[in-house]
Amino acid sequence: MKVNEGPKVHAAGTAYDDLLYTGGPIKPPADWDGMGVTDIEKRVPFYDQLVLSYTLRVEDEYKFAGELSGIYNYMAEGHSQPPEKGSRRNSVFREFVRYVRRARKIGLLGSSWFTDANMEELATYAADSGYLYQAWEKSDVTAKLGGGGFTSMKLRGYAESVCKHGSLYGEEWFSDDDFSDASSDGESDDEYDSEDDDGEYDGEYDSQER
């Protein structure tokens, strides 16, 4: 869904230097313990990077191509308030889950260390933190994660690597296979299914690529 029909925008060749970063895997900390005995707080900084790479992509799609995704699309559908913290029954959460599933499928989240249990823990954290349901700009991400401009550059580069069309804004993020990939990572087909108030989201994304 668009707010305008402006031209598709490539990051390369623009003045937006942040977007010129060549993306690659976001690596876990050296002492990553998977789902060991260490408290989840040890994994939260890594989960923050994954969540905010998605929210930055949502912001960039809106800013550079007028494309409504994530929280922008949710609000444009007529909702008066963003989803509550902890909510999974909404289109924003489901889109994020597909984003992470795609990252797993194309090798940007290593299967040797990012397990199905990590996927569920990340999904729970993403919903409970409420970060999915906020609009995040570069300055917000820097304030949250530190690292100056390089942090947003890294996360934007990662999102480019995940999304089907990379640095081309205003195009589809996913391939048809990304709508039926649950068996590839051990999740049931309906584990993260959304039940939007308007009932349109599931059919729109499950039936075919927009």
Side-chain angles (χ1 to χ4, degrees):
M1 181 177 181
K2 290 184 174 61
V3 293
N4 63 58
E5 292 297 332
K8 305 297 189 294
V9 178
H10 272 291
T14 73
Y16 306 111
D17 293 339
D18 275 8
L19 308 184
L20 302 183
Y21 177 78
T22 300
I26 297 178
K27 297 180 180 180
D31 57 352
W32 174 265
D33 72 335
M35 292 295 292
V37 297
T38 304
D39 190 271
I40 183 179
E41 291 304 315
K42 185 174 182 178
R43 296 182 289 276
V44 162
F46 178 74
Y47 293 157
D48 282 338
Q49 291 185 72
L50 291 174
V51 172
L52 297 185
S53 72
Y54 164 79
T55 59
L56 272 176
R57 181 69 183 205
V58 169
E59 182 68 22
D60 289 343
E61 288 281 355
Y62 175 71
K63 183 183 296 183
F64 300 139
E67 184 75 20
L68 298 181
S69 53
I71 188 60
Y72 289 115
N73 187 57
Y74 180 85
M75 299 303 292
E77 289 173 340
H79 300 279
S80 60
Q81 298 291 332
E84 295 181 356
K85 288 183 179 181
S87 170
R88 295 185 174 208
R89 299 164 64 90
N90 62 81
S91 59
V92 185
F93 177 82
R94 192 173 187 185
E95 187 176 69
F96 172 70
V97 168
R98 285 204 172 109
Y99 173 83
V100 179
R101 281 179 172 174
R102 179 165 174 82
R104 297 184 76 185
K105 174 181 285 188
I106 63 178
L108 292 177
L109 283 174
S111 59
S112 63
W113 55 267
F114 192 86
T115 66
D116 292 344
N118 289 130
M119 178 69 185
E120 173 57 25
E121 186 177 66
L122 167 63
T124 299
Y125 174 74
D128 289 352
S129 69
Y131 294 157
L132 292 178
Y133 310 139
Q134 304 171 22
W136 289 78
E137 297 182 344
K138 173 182 174 180
S139 58
D140 302 317
V141 171
T142 300
K144 170 67 178 175
L145 300 181
F150 180 74
T151 299
S152 60
M153 183 165 50
K154 179 178 71 172
L155 299 186
R156 280 167 159 162
Y158 182 80
E160 286 183 11
S161 297
V162 173
C163 293
K164 178 182 176 184
H165 292 282
S167 62
L168 182 60
Y169 296 100
E171 293 287 352
E172 292 306 317
W173 294 16
F174 305 112
S175 301
D176 286 338
D177 287 347
D178 296 313
F179 304 134
S180 58
D181 63 348
S183 60
S184 68
D185 54 26
E187 298 159 10
S188 64
D189 288 334
D190 59 356
E191 182 174 358
Y192 299 111
D193 275 358
S194 168
E195 296 184 18
D196 282 350
D197 293 338
D198 57 18
E200 295 177 355
Y201 186 89
D202 291 349
E204 179 180 359
Y205 279 81
D206 287 343
S207 60
Q208 61 182 4
E209 190 177 347
R210 285 186 298 171

